[in-house]
Amino acid sequence: MGRWQGDARGRLEQAAMNLYREHGFAETTVAEIAARAGLTERTFFRYFADKREVLFWGAPLLERSIVEGIAAAPADAAPLEAVVAALAAAGAVFEERREGARVRHALIQANAELREREVMKLTSLGAAIAAALRARGVREPGASLTAEAGIAIFKVGFERWLEDAGRRDFAHHLRAALGELRGVVAEQGAAARRAPRTARAAGRGRRSPAS
């Protein structure tokens, strides 16, 4: 096979993932990745800024897809519904790569440098979601709060999707996380409404007979 033949990005990505699993992320070099893929280091840097980006190169594509999904949501869609629908649509590509996603997630969790990069990517995604919501007319702080809720739903849904032995799809786990968040909010709201009544009852109980 010639050194420039085939899907260079895919070959480099597969080589890197195999080496990260075999030797660890920190111990693997760009030279080793390129050699395993049958390509040159120069070719590696055509596609990736560094060896961390092998795990994160798809983040801008995912972000753009989510932003476009929010923009395309029906005008009467609630902000959080628009975000979750966009996350589900964009995340459909995960279904083809569940095992690879598991390996990637394990590598990130095992390395502090990669966890930091993951946080940065999620922060960027949250900012992009908030901007997309503002473009739909959602005011602050609602846009930012909704974006943060969307990121939390994304993280919980993604981790449950990875762990799901029943292989239910990513959208199922996003919807489940959304339902749980709504349940918590409803419970907190009910507790807040009960609090004044409880306080008034306690006040009445402390009054003396003479009062």
Side-chain angles (χ1 to χ4, degrees):
M1 178 178 290
R3 293 176 70 81
W4 295 91
Q5 185 177 343
D7 174 15
R9 183 193 293 276
R11 288 163 56 190
L12 287 164
E13 182 179 11
Q14 187 60 56
M17 295 297 284
N18 289 339
L19 286 166
Y20 294 162
R21 282 184 291 180
E22 293 168 14
H23 305 300
F25 171 80
E27 291 74 20
T28 299
T29 67
V30 169
E32 290 169 336
I33 296 169
R36 175 71 67 92
L39 298 166
T40 65
E41 289 185 64
R42 182 176 180 181
T43 303
F44 178 93
F45 288 114
R46 287 178 183 270
Y47 295 98
F48 307 107
D50 55 44
K51 66 180 186 176
R52 294 174 299 181
E53 284 304 300
V54 174
L55 298 167
F56 297 103
W57 69 268
L61 301 176
L62 180 67
E63 181 178 302
R64 183 167 68 247
S65 179
I66 292 168
V67 168
E68 290 173 352
I70 293 170
D76 60 350
L80 191 54
E81 279 288 347
V83 170
V84 172
L87 291 171
V93 297
F94 296 159
E95 300 300 333
E96 306 171 352
R97 310 186 66 177
R98 191 186 295 247
E99 295 308 317
R102 286 195 179 107
V103 173
R104 175 186 178 278
H105 184 69
L107 286 167
I108 291 171
Q109 293 307 305
N111 186 284
E113 180 184 1
L114 297 177
R115 291 198 302 273
E116 182 179 355
R117 179 65 67 95
E118 177 88 324
V119 169
M120 291 172 59
K121 296 293 185 181
L122 289 173
T123 299
S124 174
L125 177 58
I129 290 173
L133 290 171
R134 288 193 295 270
R136 286 176 60 87
V138 181
R139 296 182 179 180
E140 289 292 354
S144 292
L145 289 171
T146 302
E148 290 298 322
I151 293 297
I153 289 168
F154 178 83
K155 290 170 63 178
V156 170
F158 185 75
E159 290 179 3
R160 290 182 176 178
W161 172 74
L162 290 179
E163 298 166 358
D164 186 3
R167 301 186 69 84
R168 287 168 292 189
D169 64 19
F170 180 57
H172 166 85
H173 291 288
L174 286 178
R175 290 291 174 189
L178 173 61
E180 291 178 20
L181 177 61
R182 283 175 168 164
V184 170
V185 172
E187 183 179 339
Q188 291 297 320
R193 289 191 295 272
R194 288 195 300 268
R197 294 197 296 271
T198 303
R200 288 196 297 271
R204 289 194 296 271
R206 286 195 297 268
R207 292 173 185 170
S208 65
S211 64

